[in-house]
Amino acid sequence: MFDHTLASQPIPGVTAELFYRAANIYLQKPHVVNRKLFGASTLATFRVRRGDPVDVDEFVDRLRERLSEIENGMREVCDDLRLEAEVLPEGLDLNGFSSEGFEGRYLVLKRLLPRNLNVFKPLEVLAIVDPDLQRITFRCLQDEENNLTPKFSFAVQLVEETLSIKCKSSPTPDEKSSIWLKEVLFRRLLKWIDNLIQKTDQKGEQISLGLINDLEEYNRLYGELKTKYGTEMVRIWPESTDPRKFVYEDVAIATYLLLLWKQEREESGSDALQSFVDLGCGNGLLVYILASEGHPGVGIDLRKRKIWDCFPGNVTLRVESIDPSGNALFPDTDWIIGNHSDELSPWIPVLAARSAFRCRYFLLPCCAFEFDGTKFQRQNSSVSQYGDFLRYAKEISAVCGFETAMDRLKIPSTKRTCLIGSERTYREDQFGENLAKIQTFIDSRTPDTTFKARPAEERVRNCTKISRSVVDEIVRIVFEALIAKRHLAEEHFPGKGWNAGGTLAIGELVRLIPADRLAALKSECGGLQTLLRNNHQIFAVLNGTVQVRLPTRRGIGSKTEEELKRKVKKQNRGNRMVDLKERPCWFFGNHPDGCPFEEEDFG
C-alpha cells in the first residue's frame, strides 16, 4: 500500500515500545508538532480482532458518508468490510504498548481542534494502529478546506530498528505536506525516540487540561472569551506589561475555571454558580471575566492597578493586606484562587481548609515562598526549585486534608502547573481536629510563623521609573558616538552610502554619559548595558562591545554574524520561520542617512 518512502533512518537500540511511546505523543497531542492546532479529542476507538490489514483509504471513503453519528458510523463501516470489531470506550493509549500481547488492529478517530476557529474548521483524522506491521497510518477525512494536516494517507513504521515515514507514490502528494512530514514530523519523532532511549525510565508527559472532560468545549469557550474580552483589553491596556501575554493567559485560566466549575455543578446537580475570592489578583482581569460570566467574587491585592478603572461596576476589587497567619477567613466563599499569588501561595490551601469544610481552592504557583514570606529553599537538588516547590505545595495540600489534583494549563508561561483541592480526606466532624494538625505543620516549617507581606509600594525596576526623555538622551549620546566612527555598510546596502558606524566598548561609552544619568541607570535598571539591550532594535551588544544594528526588511539582516548563525539555526528547527514583531523604523527618523530601504522594498 505505502510504496513511497519520504524519510528513513536507522535508530540503534530502538524498541517497539519506544516507537509507540513516541508515536503516542503525536497521536494524543498533535499540537506540539503543528502550531496551528490547539489539541485533539478522541471521537471513537475500535479494536479489529481478525482480518487482513485495513485499507485506510477504503475505510475513509465509506466513513465519510456516516459522520453524523461517529460511533455507529464506525461500526457500520466495520460491518461493511466484514471486520470483527469492538468498541474501546476508554480510547487507546500507546504508552507501554508493544507488538506483543495486543490482538488485532486498532482504529482511532480523532478530531483536530484548530487554535483559530475563525480561520480553520475542526477536522477528523483516522489512525490505524497495526501491531503486526509496527505501523500507524493516518488519513484526514476532509480533502477540501484542509490546511491543518496532510490530505493524503501516510504512515510511520518501525522495521528492524529503522524508522520510516511513507505514503503512496500515486497520486502524487502535495509538496508542502511532504516537506512537513519529512522535515517536521519525522525529525520530531526521531528526537522523541532518542530522548526515550537516553532515559528509558522516563514517564509519559503530563497531559495538559487533563481535568477538563471536553477539550472541544474548552477550545470553543476559549475562542469565545478571547473575542469577548481579550481583544478589547489588549487595545486599552494601560499597564507597562505586555498585554498579549497577560490578557490571553488570564482568558485561558478563566476558561479552565469556568469549565471546571461547570463540571462540578453537573456532578453535584446544583445550578448555583460558585463564588470565589482571588487573593493577589494583580491586574484583576481574571476577576473581571469570572464576574462577567456570572460568578460572584472579589479580587484582593496590596495595590491598585491602572486597569482597574477600566472595569465595569459589577467587578469588585479591593486594596487590602491579607494576613494569612492571623484571622483571615472566607467562610461564605466556594473557591479561593491563588493565581501567581507569590508569598500567599503556600497559604492558599491553608486558607481554604480553615475557612469552611466546603471551601475549595485553585493554586497556580509561580515564585516559591515559605509561610513566613521568605524565599522557599530547595530541598531536593535533583529537581528545579519550581519542581520542588510544586512537591511542597502538594504536601501542604495533603496536610490540609485535600485530595489534591494537579493539571497543566494551556497558557503562555513555563510555570503552568496548577493544584486543585476540591474534596477532603476527612469527615466534616473532624474539621477542628484537622485545623490543629495544620497549625502543627506550619510551626514545624517556620520558627516565626508571623507572615511578612511585601510593601504596598513595591519598587519597580527595568527602567520603568526613568523618564523617556532621559532614555532618549542616553540613546542619542551612544548612537552619535558610534556613527562618528564612520563606516559605510556597502556590503549590505550597495550604493546607498549608509553609515553603519563603528564598534565601541561599554567602558568607552560609560565615560560619555553624565554622572547623574549613570546613577539613575544603576539604581533603576542595572546600568548602561541593560538599557542598550532593551533598545535592541537600535544597538547590538556582544561580548562587552556595542555597534549599530543594521536595519532590515524582515529582522534577520540586522543581526551580527554570530547572532545570525543562532537565528538561522533556530529557524531551521522544524523548517519554519520565526515569528517577527513589526514596529516603525527608528532609523528613518533618527539616522542622518535615514532608512536604507525604500518603501517599495517592503512589497
Side-chain angles (χ1 to χ4, degrees):
M1 177 182 178
F2 296 102
D3 53 359
H4 179 60
T5 301
L6 291 170
S8 179
Q9 181 170 320
I11 311 176
V14 67
T15 63
E17 182 177 350
L18 296 183
F19 163 69
Y20 287 120
R21 286 177 65 180
N24 190 63
I25 299 175
Y26 176 63
L27 182 66
Q28 306 297 346
K29 301 190 291 185
H31 56 280
V32 302
V33 183
N34 187 343
R35 303 306 296 171
K36 292 181 181 178
L37 297 178
F38 164 79
S41 60
T42 301
L43 302 179
T45 306
F46 282 72
R47 177 169 61 178
V48 180
R49 289 189 174 277
R50 289 193 296 273
D52 296 329
V54 180
D55 187 310
V56 64
D57 293 328
E58 181 181 7
F59 199 96
V60 166
D61 289 341
R62 293 174 181 264
L63 184 58
R64 281 172 172 163
E65 304 172 359
R66 299 175 169 90
L67 276 181
S68 57
E69 193 173 351
I70 296 298
E71 189 169 304
N72 286 340
M74 293 273 284
R75 191 189 300 276
E76 290 172 5
V77 174
C78 289
D79 291 341
D80 289 349
L81 299 176
R82 297 184 179 180
L83 302 174
E84 185 181 339
E86 62 175 330
V87 181
L88 297 182
E90 300 301 325
L92 180 66
D93 188 344
L94 296 179
N95 280 323
F97 192 90
S98 68
S99 302
E100 301 176 0
F102 288 87
E103 178 189 356
R105 299 168 183 85
Y106 298 84
L107 312 176
V108 185
L109 190 63
K110 307 284 290 190
R111 175 167 291 162
L112 304 184
L113 308 174
R115 289 183 181 274
N116 192 337
L117 291 171
N118 296 322
V119 177
F120 303 106
K121 296 179 180 179
L123 300 176
E124 283 73 36
V125 172
L126 178 68
I128 299 179
V129 181
D130 192 328
D132 292 339
L133 299 176
Q134 289 185 177
R135 184 175 73 192
I136 305 176
T137 306
F138 298 90
R139 173 66 188 274
C140 182
L141 272 62
Q142 290 88 359
D143 286 339
E144 299 178 357
E145 299 181 2
N146 171 13
N147 293 312
L148 294 176
T149 188
K151 300 175 183 179
F152 55 88
S153 57
F154 65 92
V156 293
Q157 187 169 16
L158 182 70
V159 178
E160 296 180 352
E161 294 190 345
T162 296
L163 179 70
S164 58
I165 189 163
K166 301 180 178 182
C167 66
K168 290 182 177 180
S169 57
S170 180
T172 304
D174 65 275
E175 184 179 1
K176 184 177 179 181
S177 294
S178 298
I179 292 174
W180 182 83
L181 289 171
K182 291 187 293 184
E183 302 297 332
V184 181
L185 179 58
F186 186 70
R187 287 186 180 184
R188 194 64 66 89
L189 287 169
L190 289 173
K191 179 180 178 181
W192 290 335
I193 291 174
D194 183 62
N195 289 341
L196 290 168
I197 291 174
Q198 296 298 323
K199 192 175 181 181
T200 55
D201 61 341
Q202 176 178 322
K203 297 180 180 179
E205 294 185 9
Q206 183 182 0
I207 298 175
S208 297
L209 308 179
L211 298 181
I212 300 300
N213 296 335
D214 191 338
L215 281 182
E216 194 166 351
E217 184 179 9
Y218 178 97
N219 192 29
R220 178 199 59 77
L221 180 59
Y222 174 75
E224 180 183 310
L225 297 181
K226 184 178 179 180
T227 302
K228 189 175 181 180
Y229 303 106
T231 305
E232 179 64 13
M233 280 294 113
V234 169
R235 188 185 69 82
I236 67 172
W237 193 253
E239 308 290 342
S240 59
T241 52
D242 181 2
R244 286 165 297 186
K245 177 186 186 300
F246 288 92
V247 170
Y248 296 131
E249 179 171 317
D250 282 351
V251 169
I253 296 170
T255 304
Y256 185 87
L257 287 172
L258 289 171
L259 289 181
L260 191 71
W261 293 348
K262 179 183 177 183
Q263 292 172 191
E264 184 183 65
R265 294 195 303 274
E266 291 173 349
E267 292 172 3
S268 64
S270 172
D271 294 327
L273 297 180
Q274 293 90 334
S275 61
F276 69 91
V277 57
D278 185 352
L279 299 180
C281 64
N283 59 52
L285 182 57
L286 180 60
V287 179
Y288 163 57
I289 298 174
L290 295 177
S292 299
E293 293 300 306
H295 289 269
V298 59
I300 300 174
D301 204 283
L302 277 172
R303 56 189 179 89
K304 182 180 178 180
R305 308 301 200 276
K306 296 175 184 177
I307 191 68
W308 288 15
D309 293 328
C310 302
F311 297 139
N314 67 316
V315 180
T316 305
L317 298 168
R318 298 203 306 256
V319 177
E320 186 178 326
S321 179
I322 298 294
D323 181 8
S325 59
N327 297 318
L329 295 175
F330 305 92
D332 300 323
T333 299
D334 294 320
W335 283 79
I336 293 179
I337 297 173
N339 174 21
H340 291 178
S341 45
D342 294 340
E343 290 93 340
L344 287 175
S345 292
W347 288 98
I348 297 299
V350 175
L351 292 173
R354 286 176 171 175
S355 292
F357 182 75
R358 300 297 176 187
C359 187
R360 288 86 77 192
Y361 79 85
F362 167 88
L363 173 62
L364 180 61
C366 179
C367 301
F369 288 90
E370 265 290 0
F371 286 111
D372 60 0
T374 60
K375 289 285 187 178
F376 172 76
Q377 300 299 315
R378 184 172 52 176
Q379 300 171 357
N380 184 354
S381 59
S382 65
V383 298
S384 66
Q385 185 184 46
Y386 175 65
D388 202 27
F389 183 71
L390 288 176
R391 176 207 56 77
Y392 179 45
K394 190 173 182 181
E395 179 185 3
I396 295 172
S397 181
V399 171
C400 291
F402 286 103
E403 292 182 358
T404 310
M406 299 182 73
D407 204 353
R408 289 178 65 184
L409 305 185
K410 281 185 173 290
I411 57 176
S413 174
T414 57
K415 297 177 179 178
R416 52 197 178 103
T417 300
C418 65
L419 292 85
I420 296 166
S422 57
E423 299 291 337
R424 302 294 176 98
T425 57
Y426 60 91
R427 301 188 309 272
E428 188 168 4
D429 59 6
Q430 298 173 310
F431 184 71
E433 178 184 336
N434 194 70
L435 293 182
K437 178 182 176 183
I438 295 171
Q439 189 59 51
T440 300
F441 177 76
I442 295 173
D443 294 340
S444 70
R445 291 293 306 184
T446 51
D448 182 7
T449 57
T450 303
F451 178 72
K452 302 176 183 64
R454 66 174 64 180
E457 294 297 327
E458 187 174 11
R459 182 167 173 251
V460 182
R461 299 182 63 85
N462 294 328
C463 301
T464 54
K465 283 190 174 181
I466 302 176
S467 69
R468 186 70 246 179
S469 62
V470 173
V471 173
D472 290 343
E473 177 188 350
I474 296 173
V475 166
R476 178 182 55 78
I477 293 172
V478 173
F479 181 72
E480 290 178 352
L482 292 173
I483 62 172
K485 300 174 71 66
R486 186 172 178 81
H487 176 74
L488 299 183
E490 285 296 318
E491 180 181 352
H492 297 275
F493 313 117
K496 298 284 187 177
W498 198 83
N499 178 17
T503 300
L504 289 172
I506 289 287
E508 296 178 81
L509 294 171
V510 166
R511 289 193 286 271
L512 302 176
I513 311 297
D516 60 330
R517 301 302 191 233
L518 286 176
L521 281 178
K522 187 173 183 180
S523 64
E524 295 300 338
C525 78
L528 178 61
Q529 182 168 251
T530 301
L531 183 141
L532 297 179
R533 289 187 185 278
N534 287 345
N535 288 272
H536 53 81
Q537 75 279 12
I538 307 171
F539 305 108
V541 183
L542 278 176
N543 301 322
T545 63
V546 183
Q547 64 189 66
V548 173
R549 187 179 294 277
L550 300 181
T552 177
R553 289 187 296 269
R554 290 194 55 78
I556 295 180
S558 64
K559 304 292 181 183
T560 63
E561 184 176 355
E562 182 178 342
E563 289 177 307
L564 180 58
K565 289 179 181 177
R566 291 199 299 264
K567 192 80 169 182
V568 170
K569 183 178 179 180
K570 183 175 181 181
Q571 286 179 326
N572 287 337
R573 295 174 189 168
N575 194 38
R576 64 184 179 88
M577 290 295 293
V578 175
D579 292 332
L580 299 167
K581 297 179 181 178
E582 297 179 359
R583 64 177 66 190
C585 178
W586 183 89
F587 297 99
F588 180 79
N590 295 277
H591 195 290
D593 300 330
C595 178
F597 295 108
E598 302 295 336
E599 185 175 353
E600 55 267 24
D601 292 337
F602 294 89

